[in-house]
Amino acid sequence: MGHVKTSVWHAVFAGSLAQNKARSLLSVLAIALGVALGYAVQLVSAAAVNELGQGVQFLSGAADLQVRGPRGGFDESIYPQLARMPEIAVASPVVEVDARIADRNDVLKIIGIDAFRAAGVQPGLVAAPEDRLDLLRSDALFLSPAASRWLGIDAGASVNLQNALRVVALRVAGLAPAGGEQRFAVMDIAGVQTNFDRVGLITRVDLRVRAGVDVDNFRDRLQALLPAGLAVQRPEASVAASESLSRSYRVNMNVLALVALFTGALLVFSTQALAVVRRRAQLALLRVLGVTRRRLIFLLVAEGAAIGVAGSVLGLIGGFVLAEIAIRTVGLDFGAGYFRGLTPVLSPNLLALGLFFCLGVAAAMLGSFAPALEAARAAPARALKAGDQERAFDRLRPVWPALLTIIAGGVASLLPPVAHLPLFGYIAIALLLIGTLMLIPRITSMLLALAPIPQGAPARLALLQLRGAPGQAGVSLVAIVASVSLMVSMAIMVASFRSSLDAWLERVLPADVYVRANAAGDSAYLDTEVQGRIAALPGIRRAEFVREQQLLLDPYRPRIVLLAREGDAPTLARQLSLVSESLPAGVATEAGAPPPIWVNEAMVDLYDFRFGKVIELPLAGTPTPFTVAGVWRDYARSQGAVVVERARYIAFTGDRTATNAALWLAPGVDVGSISEAIVRGIPGGSRLDIAAPGEIRQLSLKAFDRTFAVTYALELAAVVIGLFGLSSSFGALVLSRRREFGLLRHLGMTRRQIGAMLAVEGVLVSGIGLMIGFCLGWVISIILIHVVNRQSFHWSMELFAPWTALAGSALLVLALSTLTAVAMGRQAMGQRAILAVKEDW
Amino acid sequence: MLVVRDLGKSFAGPRPRTVFAGVDLDLARGEYVAVMGESGIGKSTLLNLVAGLENADGGSIRLDGVELTTLDDDALTILRRGHLGFVFQAFHVLPYLTVRQNVALPLSLLRNVGTEAQSRVTVMLAAVGLGERGDSMPSELSGGELQRVAIARALVHAPRLVLADEPTGNLDPESAGQVLGLLREQIKANNAAGILVTHSQVAAGTCDRILQLTASGLREIAPHRQTP
């Protein structure tokens, strides 16, 4: 009995896995590549989020709640009020500054604590130096072990940091007792306030509530008592806020990586479908001999599972190696710049391992399921008959399931985001893709019917063969159509983004020179004296200063950016890249009307700050009403940002400092000479970043390309898998026709003519694949641009298709697939044609 | 028309084997012979050698004075295209072409696709009794009908020589009888020569002569049949 079972098992398996070693290996590799990419992206993202979480957890210690506000700080007088509350056991004030390391484009996080208070909430931050007074000295700091390693300095050394444009030299008094892989320094809170111009300000208060106090209930009561712009939340909210900044990016990367796995599943589908069709008579024979439908399905799906297991194991190993390479070369954020300052450590966990293993196996099994079902459903008597293969594709003929899937995709693309993620956008793309793939045999059939029958025998036979077997041709196309459509859609999306970014930079950089104090960290700025000196430099016709500030509107989201810019409402409305209509100049200045504010698209999506709406912003602890006078495009950030008139900002806050300056030069004055004048004439001028708009554009586009480098790599992987799929299935088709070639050789067709016939078939099939792939890709790109990108990053953009590059890629795919067809034909011709005609059809 | 002299064939490999040697055969236009012999003796190999699909170890094959053993693959292919017709046991009718297109295939390869060619196809289809089935797909035909298509295809381009390898091996006796009759009739009608390889005495009986293939050559085992 066991022997019989083995025979049935062997009869099914030997037909595919063993007899088609190369194609089975290709399927395994495709699944492995998909799993590897998905797992690598997950590992790297998990490492980044884990580091963020550990950082917040460590820095907040045993705090039950945290009071947070603007990044620049809030009035410290709130602290004694909190400390006196009966529900609070310990309140620990904190000043956090991301201090720029002098003459370096790096940031060191400085945490100012009251050692006596912190001991009760964040004991891990309180060092135990030999000289206990170092804990209170304003020139002493304690480096975390990771920061010490990073800076290459130890106790006794000094570290130069920047405040405004001045250097602050601080002594390393020792190492903080803990901190894992976090890079930071701890010092006395008063020291941070005096050294970094934060006197009277704090950035956070960590609270431990007394035993028995309901934390959430107390939080709600406390929130009502806090001034505008402050929020009290559990420390986890900070993790959520930090995480949310990069969440969309990470999710998009994950989806993109899973696309490779999806393409792999399609490859398994087409390979298995064609293998099953080729063995249709053999499988029917097994049914005749008594193998049940269920058992046949089980055996064929098990074949897929075997491919999936092998692919997943290979993929998991490859994914780990890829992730290691990625964090060493492009960093935790794949070059996007979200996680600077984190020291990454990969920590694979069983859940993720299991998940990606199962995904790989499921993809392969799913790819095998439809062919298995078809083989089991086929009527054995008919399937045993020669020439019945095309009947296997009959189930692909009905059009309505495909049309319904496409319509569902169209509807999904209109739905709003879920938890600020474009889930329906992804679903829409998946449905459109699946619907179109289901339509491929029908579309192939229609297009082939339209083609005129050529005179030459090879081309004529090629066309007639394809017309006679559109199902097989269609199935062989699924992987390449999927990958080409994704390649085209990503290419159009990225090109649209790049060209829109380029146009935007042109628009938002009207000045001749830009000066930036806070390129790294938030400790550097331009005081009023420096501003005056810059404005008075000979050769400067006009100088406009900008104050960049960060406000907390929602503790679960990153702070929004407030830009206080010089100029009146009409000027600002003109300078900004508005995507909405603009309020007439007079409306917002009418008596009693709140002053104008211009918001970026993220503010509309995340905070519903719509055009014309009156909103409130917490300025200097006071809720201040504004009228949304316009919505502007902001490719510089994906979190919210608002622009206000600087004069009003100063009037509300008294803050006259600036972080950036835009300079217009007098005729004949060049950027180099002004740059030199700033470096020489302004104290600390060498610490400023000075750039012409051209340089900024170049740097921005370079950063853009770096960010999308990994995207290109993932896209390439999908296309490679698609080509694998095409060559594998085309190869299978060609090899299965060796008897036909044998007959044609008998009838007098030369090898060259058969090669030409296959080349024509290759061109026709891949041409149809490319045509469908391009059309579908164009539709998907619209969803990517207007739904996925908009809902993920809140950026709108204009459609731009890089036709030349796309045409080049199309030609390459066409050439590769045609070569594959011819190469496979040669292999098939290598079989002795004479022997082949002895076989039954 | 076909003159074979001292033809020999052996197969190399781990267990080299001489299939046959010293084969002589003379075949005139309009003549139809059967080749019989035990399994594995090389009957199909003999057909392949005559068709130029395999290379002989020695000897000569001349078709209308052209020595086939000296021709290269392209020349043999072109010769096959114009002057040979084949009928196989497994029919080998292309499933993606209609019956008419299958029959027209040899003419198409000869770039003969004009009205005259179309008429010739029609004549051949009528001759094999498939005049009404030209637009059918092969999947709609029975085995006997498929073999009729193959016969029409083998003769449509008026070849000098028709090679048939067990053409009735897959057919029931009634269909086999019809096909054999048709094959003979058409070979004669087209004034071609024909070689039928078969195990069946009944099938061989439809030919003019019956030859027995042995390792040492061909020998005649039945006299000339009266040509109808």
Side-chain angles (χ1 to χ4, degrees):
Chain A
M1 186 66 193
H3 183 69
V4 174
K5 269 188 181 174
T6 313
S7 296
V8 173
W9 185 259
H10 188 256
V12 177
F13 263 63
S16 178
L17 298 181
Q19 285 180 359
N20 303 300
K21 285 192 188 85
R23 271 189 295 285
S24 301
L25 186 67
L26 221 51
S27 296
V28 168
L29 287 179
I31 293 292
L33 192 53
V35 169
L37 292 173
Y39 185 52
V41 169
Q42 193 280 335
L43 265 180
V44 174
S45 297
V49 172
N50 192 33
E51 285 295 314
L52 276 177
Q54 280 182 357
V56 171
Q57 199 177 20
F58 174 74
L59 296 177
S60 54
D64 298 309
L65 293 170
Q66 287 183 327
V67 174
R68 299 192 296 133
R71 179 76 202 157
F74 51 90
D75 193 337
E76 66 179 6
S77 62
I78 190 81
Y79 159 66
Q81 294 172 37
L82 291 170
R84 278 198 295 272
M85 292 180 83
E87 292 90 343
I88 291 174
V90 188
S92 173
V94 177
V95 177
E96 247 184 47
V97 175
D98 283 339
R100 182 177 187 168
I101 299 173
D103 306 316
R104 240 174 98 164
N105 207 18
D106 281 314
V107 168
L108 180 63
K109 184 185 283 298
I110 308 288
I111 303 163
I113 55 166
D114 175 339
F116 302 108
R117 297 285 169 189
V121 185
Q122 311 111 323
L125 291 179
V126 184
E130 282 180 22
D131 183 355
R132 302 287 290 177
L133 285 178
D134 274 345
L135 290 172
L136 304 174
R137 287 196 173 102
S138 63
D139 67 337
L141 56 68
F142 299 86
L143 290 177
S144 70
S148 165
R149 283 196 301 274
W150 178 56
L151 291 168
I153 54 175
D154 219 325
S158 80
V159 57
N160 289 340
L161 302 170
Q162 188 181 329
N163 177 49
L165 299 184
R166 296 182 298 279
V167 171
V168 178
L170 298 172
R171 180 171 55 87
V172 180
L175 295 185
E181 296 301 319
Q182 310 293 315
R183 296 199 297 237
F184 63 88
V186 183
M187 64 186 290
D188 180 53
I189 188 166
V192 179
Q193 286 176 322
T194 45
N195 283 311
F196 295 98
D197 295 340
R198 304 290 205 274
V199 176
L201 296 173
I202 52 177
T203 52
R204 202 174 79 210
V205 184
D206 291 341
L207 306 173
R208 255 184 67 194
V209 299
R210 290 189 191 283
V213 173
D214 180 337
V215 177
D216 290 328
N217 185 280
F218 173 62
R219 178 195 59 198
D220 295 344
R221 282 188 286 123
L222 180 57
Q223 181 63 60
L225 301 173
L226 291 174
L230 297 193
V232 58
Q233 268 304 343
R234 287 183 179 270
E236 300 88 272
S238 303
V239 183
S242 309
E243 219 186 299
S244 75
L245 191 61
S246 64
R247 192 165 66 130
S248 295
Y249 181 75
R250 286 182 286 112
V251 170
N252 274 299
M253 291 296 284
N254 272 314
V255 170
L256 205 51
L258 288 178
V259 162
L261 189 56
F262 177 67
T263 319
L266 290 177
L267 184 143
V268 174
F269 164 73
S270 54
T271 306
Q272 291 294 87
L274 295 173
V276 164
V277 165
R278 215 167 44 251
R279 291 187 289 150
R280 194 168 164 81
Q282 297 167 30
L283 298 173
L285 180 67
L286 287 177
R287 290 269 297 113
V288 170
L289 294 178
V291 176
T292 61
R293 280 203 165 107
R294 195 173 295 171
R295 181 147 180 78
L296 196 60
I297 293 175
F298 170 77
L299 289 170
L300 289 169
V301 172
E303 233 179 67
I307 289 171
V309 168
S312 292
V313 170
L314 265 180
L316 290 173
I317 298 167
F320 189 81
V321 174
L322 265 180
E324 280 284 354
I325 295 171
I327 58 169
R328 276 170 185 31
T329 52
V330 288
L332 275 176
D333 47 16
F334 304 102
Y338 287 109
F339 303 120
R340 289 192 186 113
L342 294 184
T343 317
V345 179
L346 292 184
S347 49
N349 67 60
L350 273 179
L351 187 72
L353 268 173
L355 176 74
F356 278 92
F357 178 82
C358 290
L359 275 177
V361 176
M365 286 173 74
L366 216 61
S368 301
F369 187 69
L373 204 62
E374 201 295 315
R377 280 180 179 170
R382 275 178 125 179
L384 271 171
K385 197 180 165 194
D388 188 57
Q389 289 91 334
E390 192 58 21
R391 198 188 301 280
F393 300 97
D394 281 356
R395 281 179 221 285
L396 299 174
R397 290 198 192 285
V399 172
W400 60 266
L403 289 180
L404 280 181
T405 311
I406 290 173
I407 291 168
V411 172
S413 72
L414 303 173
L415 297 175
V418 177
H420 298 287
L421 287 175
L423 291 186
F424 285 115
Y426 298 133
I427 290 172
I429 292 174
L431 289 175
L432 284 176
L433 194 56
I434 292 167
T436 309
L437 294 180
M438 287 160 77
L439 273 183
I440 287 179
R442 179 58 68 103
I443 299 174
T444 308
S445 203
M446 279 167 54
L447 291 174
L448 288 170
L450 290 175
I453 295 180
Q455 286 297 316
R460 185 185 174 86
L461 276 177
L463 182 63
L464 291 172
Q465 198 282 333
L466 291 176
R467 277 187 183 177
Q472 299 191 43
V475 164
S476 71
L477 278 176
V478 291
I480 195 70
V481 166
S483 56
V484 163
S485 65
L486 293 163
M487 174 191 82
V488 168
S489 61
M490 287 300 296
I492 293 178
M493 193 277 279
V494 173
S496 302
F497 196 174
R498 203 177 192 280
S499 90
S500 299
L501 171 68
D502 202 11
W504 178 78
L505 286 166
E506 181 94 41
R507 175 92 193 256
V508 299
L509 297 172
D512 300 317
V513 182
Y514 288 86
V515 176
R516 189 158 191 206
N518 65 340
D522 53 14
S523 65
Y525 62 88
L526 308 170
D527 59 24
T528 46
E529 188 197 334
V530 169
Q531 290 172 42
R533 282 190 181 213
I534 290 174
L537 280 173
I540 290 182
R541 182 163 56 86
R542 190 171 118 213
E544 285 182 2
F545 294 94
V546 180
R547 175 65 168 119
E548 198 175 314
Q549 179 58 284
Q550 289 189 24
L551 305 177
L552 185 68
L553 296 191
D554 178 347
Y556 286 98
R557 293 213 181 104
R559 292 181 176 89
I560 68 152
V561 175
L562 178 141
L563 297 159
R565 290 178 56 161
E566 286 187 18
D568 55 10
T571 312
L572 287 176
R574 205 171 45 248
Q575 284 178 355
L576 290 167
S577 183
L578 291 184
V579 289
S580 73
E581 48 189 324
S582 177
L583 274 187
V587 172
T589 53
E590 281 171 11
I597 191 171
W598 295 267
V599 303
N600 70 1
E601 291 169 294
M603 292 303 295
V604 181
D605 293 349
L606 299 175
Y607 297 93
D608 198 33
F609 279 18
R610 298 191 175 281
F611 171 73
K613 194 172 172 182
V614 174
I615 53 93
E616 281 185 350
L617 279 189
L619 291 181
T622 310
T624 312
F626 288 95
T627 307
V628 178
V631 178
W632 52 288
R633 183 173 282 177
D634 180 15
Y635 290 142
R637 44 191 85 75
S638 60
Q639 80 267 43
V642 298
V643 169
V644 297
E645 295 158 282
R646 188 165 177 238
R648 289 186 198 273
Y649 171 77
I650 292 171
F652 285 128
T653 63
D655 178 9
R656 291 180 178 277
T657 63
T659 44
N660 310 326
L663 309 176
W664 280 262
L665 306 183
V669 178
D670 63 75
V671 177
S673 61
I674 278 298
S675 187
E676 208 178 310
I678 292 172
V679 170
R680 287 191 179 173
I682 311 291
S686 63
R687 296 189 189 99
L688 290 168
D689 288 312
I690 305 165
E695 287 173 68
I696 298 173
R697 264 177 72 180
Q698 214 175 358
L699 280 173
S700 304
L701 292 174
K702 211 169 147 187
F704 177 92
D705 292 336
R706 195 177 56 234
T707 306
F708 278 96
V710 176
T711 311
Y712 290 133
L714 292 177
E715 195 184 307
L716 187 68
V719 174
V720 168
I721 294 175
L723 276 175
F724 274 7
L726 186 69
S727 71
S728 163
S729 40
F730 213 98
L733 279 178
V734 168
L735 288 178
S736 71
R737 289 166 57 197
R738 62 188 190 282
R739 288 161 298 192
E740 175 193 334
F741 301 149
L743 169 72
L744 294 174
R745 292 281 290 131
H746 272 83
L747 295 184
M749 264 183 104
T750 60
R751 288 174 199 275
R752 205 174 300 119
Q753 281 180 309
I754 294 178
M757 178 182 85
L758 288 173
V760 172
E761 285 182 25
V763 168
L764 280 172
V765 169
S766 32
I768 289 171
L770 282 168
M771 204 187 295
I772 302 172
F774 264 65
C775 293
L776 180 60
W778 186 74
V779 175
I780 292 177
S781 76
I782 292 174
I783 297 178
L784 281 176
I785 289 170
H786 296 297
V787 181
V788 172
N789 216 39
R790 178 65 209 248
Q791 293 180 3
S792 295
F793 305 105
H794 318 291
W795 293 322
S796 64
M797 58 187 77
E798 270 81 50
L799 190 72
F800 174 80
W803 292 121
T804 315
L806 285 174
S809 314
L811 281 178
L812 187 67
V813 172
L814 197 63
L816 282 174
S817 42
T818 307
L819 279 177
T820 304
V822 175
M824 290 297 167
R826 281 201 176 168
Q827 201 185 331
M829 295 302 292
Q831 303 272 345
R832 295 174 68 212
I834 309 102
L835 291 180
V837 291
K838 295 293 276 183
E839 298 169 21
D840 205 345
W841 282 103
Chain B
M1 188 202 67
L2 176 71
V3 181
V4 176
R5 288 288 173 268
D6 199 23
L7 194 66
K9 178 69 184 173
S10 56
F11 288 118
R15 280 177 293 180
R17 182 170 73 93
T18 297
V19 183
F20 53 73
V23 170
D24 294 325
L25 174 66
D26 289 277
L27 203 59
R29 189 173 280 274
E31 196 178 5
Y32 183 34
V33 300
V35 175
M36 298 187 73
E38 58 194 71
S39 293
I41 198 69
K43 300 184 293 295
S44 298
T45 304
L46 176 63
L47 282 196
N48 290 336
L49 290 172
V50 170
L53 290 160
E54 284 191 68
N55 296 323
D57 295 339
S60 157
I61 307 167
R62 298 179 79 85
L63 183 66
D64 280 339
V66 177
E67 177 58 54
L68 303 193
T69 54
T70 58
L71 296 181
D72 65 12
D73 186 65
D74 277 354
L76 283 168
T77 304
I78 290 164
L79 181 130
R80 230 169 18 242
R81 187 188 298 171
H83 303 300
L84 266 60
F86 292 88
V87 184
F88 307 94
Q89 178 177 353
F91 320 142
H92 293 324
V93 175
L94 292 175
Y96 52 82
L97 300 183
T98 62
V99 165
R100 171 171 280 277
Q101 285 169 332
N102 263 290
V103 173
L105 190 56
L107 296 174
S108 170
L109 288 169
L110 290 165
R111 299 176 193 276
N112 185 358
V113 289
T115 326
E116 197 184 323
Q118 292 304 320
S119 313
R120 173 73 180 156
V121 172
T122 307
V123 167
M124 283 312 300
L125 280 172
V128 297
L130 293 173
E132 305 298 314
R133 306 298 300 269
D135 293 328
S136 301
M137 294 306 287
S139 57
E140 300 163 25
L141 270 54
S142 68
E145 288 171 323
L146 286 171
Q147 199 59 301
R148 287 163 189 247
V149 176
I151 291 170
R153 183 181 63 195
L155 288 154
V156 72
H157 55 308
R160 294 181 211 162
L161 178 62
V162 175
L163 304 173
D165 192 354
E166 296 279 12
T168 54
N170 284 356
L171 298 177
D172 62 80
E174 193 184 340
S175 301
Q178 289 172 1
V179 163
L180 287 168
L182 186 65
L183 188 57
R184 177 185 171 82
E185 177 193 311
Q186 288 303 314
I187 288 171
K188 298 289 179 186
N190 285 277
N191 197 27
I195 303 176
L196 169 74
V197 163
T198 182
H199 280 291
S200 159
Q201 286 288 350
V202 176
T206 62
C207 295
D208 302 333
R209 285 192 287 154
I210 303 174
L211 305 172
Q212 177 85 29
L213 180 64
T214 64
S216 54
L218 275 173
R219 65 185 175 83
E220 195 160 315
I221 56 170
H224 280 275
R225 170 190 162 133
Q226 195 61 43
T227 305

